Amino acid sequence: FLPRGFARLIAARYRDAAHMTVYSEGHRDEADRWFSQNKTVIYSGFNEDSRPPIPQEPAQFRILLTGSIYDDACLARLIGGIRDWLPGFANDVVFSYAGNDGERVKRQAQSLQGLCEIDIRDFLAYDELIALQKASSINVYIHNPRSLFQHKTLELLAPGVPVIAI
């Protein structure tokens, strides 16, 4: 991902590192060109043994926002869109959040009060998070504009329900 000269400079800077972790076998192959140390693949975002749930109609329509909130304006657009959409939706709706930015989400989600249930949770253990993602009707995340690769997309596709990226 780096220009050749810069890659050489980075490789030289970390030549004495004892070990390296990489995102995938492909990343390991690429890193082997520049780094001689042993590497361990740690897949980011989800367990590759996860299976999509058996499709079933949820009792409630759950919109689950997961992860960091990189931009309050994007969060405001999401909340505003949900607020505008809710009056035309007949079923029970739950707006949920799981992550470290619960206070930020809670402040903006107040505008949904009385229109739907609001369920704000802190950072969840992986098994709890994947169970909640699988039980949701839609999984949502706010993309990180500073990241070239949006690994959250893959994490949210794994449960087998639709994904919205803001």
Side-chain angles (χ1 to χ4, degrees):
F1 302 121
L2 301 173
R4 200 164 193 71
F6 189 53
R8 273 193 212 100
L9 184 66
I10 295 295
R13 171 70 176 91
Y14 291 99
R15 73 179 165 270
D16 62 342
H19 197 85
M20 179 181 283
T21 59
V22 292
Y23 286 123
S24 68
E25 300 292 335
H27 281 112
R28 179 171 38 204
D29 293 345
E30 180 69 22
D32 281 343
R33 293 177 49 212
W34 300 98
F35 302 97
S36 61
Q37 52 273 88
N38 290 329
K39 295 164 194 70
T40 300
V41 176
I42 299 176
Y43 291 95
S44 177
F46 66 94
N47 181 344
E48 64 184 7
D49 293 330
S50 295
R51 301 287 184 260
I54 297 170
Q56 52 187 330
E57 195 64 34
Q60 295 178 308
F61 190 93
R62 181 178 300 273
I63 302 166
L64 174 62
L65 174 60
T66 303
S68 297
I69 305 303
Y70 299 101
D71 184 336
D72 286 311
C74 288
L75 176 60
R77 280 195 298 276
L78 170 65
I79 299 290
I82 293 170
R83 188 179 52 249
D84 291 347
W85 168 80
L86 279 169
F89 198 78
N91 293 346
D92 290 334
V93 175
V94 179
F95 172 73
S96 294
Y97 172 75
N100 291 323
D101 291 328
E103 289 303 315
R104 291 169 77 182
V105 175
K106 189 182 294 184
R107 278 193 300 275
Q108 290 204 37
Q110 287 177 354
S111 68
L112 300 175
Q113 207 65 271
L115 297 172
C116 69
E117 181 181 335
I118 300 169
D119 173 35
I120 308 294
R121 303 177 191 207
D122 291 327
F123 185 87
L124 298 176
Y126 175 76
D127 291 341
E128 292 176 77
L129 179 61
I130 196 73
L132 187 60
Q133 289 171 339
K134 286 180 178 185
S136 296
S137 305
I138 296 175
N139 285 307
V140 183
Y141 76 99
I142 296 176
H143 89 285
N144 179 354
R146 295 180 308 277
S147 179
L148 293 175
F149 180 67
Q150 302 292 317
H151 67 86
K152 183 65 76 179
T153 305
L154 299 177
E155 173 189 329
L156 294 179
L157 286 172
V161 298
V163 175
I164 296 176
I166 305 296

